[in-house]
Structure formats: C-alpha cells, structure tokens
Amino acid sequence: MVQIIAHTLVTAGHDVLILKRNQFERGRPNVDASYWDFPGGCALANELPQVAAKREFWEETGLKVQTERVIWEDATFDKAKNQVYTRLVYSTQAFVTRPAINLELTEHMAFLWMKPELILTNIRIVSYLKPILTRLV
C-alpha cells in the first residue's frame, strides 16, 4: 500500500513559510519533532494528492491556496509498517505580502516567514527541504 504525503511550498515576496513540528501529535511522538517543515500531511482515503495538499495547508494555517505543480517527489519504504510513503510538494501562487497565519497548535508550535538561504543556515529542517530550498537561493 502507498500512503501519499502532500506538502505545499508557499512564498511571500522572497520569504518561505515553514512550520515547527510539535513534540507530540494526537498523543503520540511526532515524526521529526521540533524540526521545521512545509505545511502538509497524509492524504485521506481516495483523496487526490493536490486536494490533500490544499486541505492540509488550510487545516494547518487557516489559509486557502491554489496549488500549481509538483516541484518535488520522493518515496521511502517503512519495513516495520510494510508501507510505502510517497511525498509530493506542490508550489502555489506567491502571496505579495505575508498573510496572517492561524496556526493549528495540535500539530505545530510556531511558524516563520524566512528567506531560503537563512532557513538553510539557521534552522533545523526536515531532510527533504534542503534540496528544494537550495534551488530557491
């Protein structure tokens, strides 16, 4: 079985939105706890990846976005769960100014709008962000 994980890269001017993952999510230790990540999460049963990316973005930030195209894809196999995880990252139309964020605090503890080069050198990020952000510098 394949589980789709859909994320969204959003920019405002030259800044990128990143969210800091909580230690726990729904009472269980969070994957990559305290690392910074793009908004996103698992697709629901029979949910298209692009729809999942928009839904997750709205749930985590309170903002609605229009996804444009896939800019990143990777996959891993979790032997313990006998599960393939495929991650897709979508780009969106950029915001002109930084919109207000209504952060979902059960999943994330903070958010930042920051330039990609500063994220790469100053922030503890999940591993897949590095090649994406490097392309933006």
Side-chain angles (χ1 to χ4, degrees):
M1 184 166 167
V2 175
Q3 174 65 61
I4 299 294
I5 304 167
H7 291 271
T8 306
L9 164 65
V10 173
T11 60
H14 296 290
D15 295 335
V16 171
L17 176 65
I18 54 173
L19 309 179
K20 189 171 186 180
R21 300 171 69 89
N22 279 341
Q23 291 291 322
F24 294 91
E25 183 178 346
R26 296 178 185 87
R28 296 182 304 220
N30 202 353
V31 175
D32 292 325
S34 296
Y35 280 71
W36 293 83
D37 197 356
F38 293 148
C42 293
L44 302 174
N46 300 317
E47 184 177 39
L48 296 173
Q50 193 171 23
V51 173
K54 289 190 267 190
R55 176 187 52 77
E56 284 285 343
F57 193 86
W58 177 78
E59 287 176 359
E60 294 178 2
T61 68
L63 298 173
K64 293 191 177 191
V65 293
Q66 293 299 317
T67 53
E68 292 182 341
R69 62 185 178 88
V70 173
I71 60 166
W72 181 261
E73 178 182 347
D74 65 39
T76 58
F77 178 68
D78 185 329
K79 284 185 182 180
K81 295 180 181 178
N82 196 33
Q83 176 81 47
V84 172
Y85 292 93
T86 298
R87 177 185 0 262
L88 301 172
V89 179
Y90 290 88
S91 65
T92 65
Q93 187 173 21
F95 288 100
V96 175
T97 60
R98 297 176 183 174
I101 301 294
N102 184 16
L103 193 64
E104 170 51 60
L105 295 174
T106 61
E107 295 185 39
H108 300 93
M109 63 178 83
F111 72 91
L112 287 173
W113 289 97
M114 186 178 270
K115 293 183 179 11
E117 56 272 20
L118 295 176
I119 295 170
L120 287 165
T121 58
N122 297 308
I123 303 291
R124 205 165 97 172
I125 57 175
V126 294
S127 61
Y128 80 93
L129 289 190
K130 187 174 182 179
I132 297 169
L133 293 172
T134 300
R135 288 189 223 164
L136 299 176
V137 174

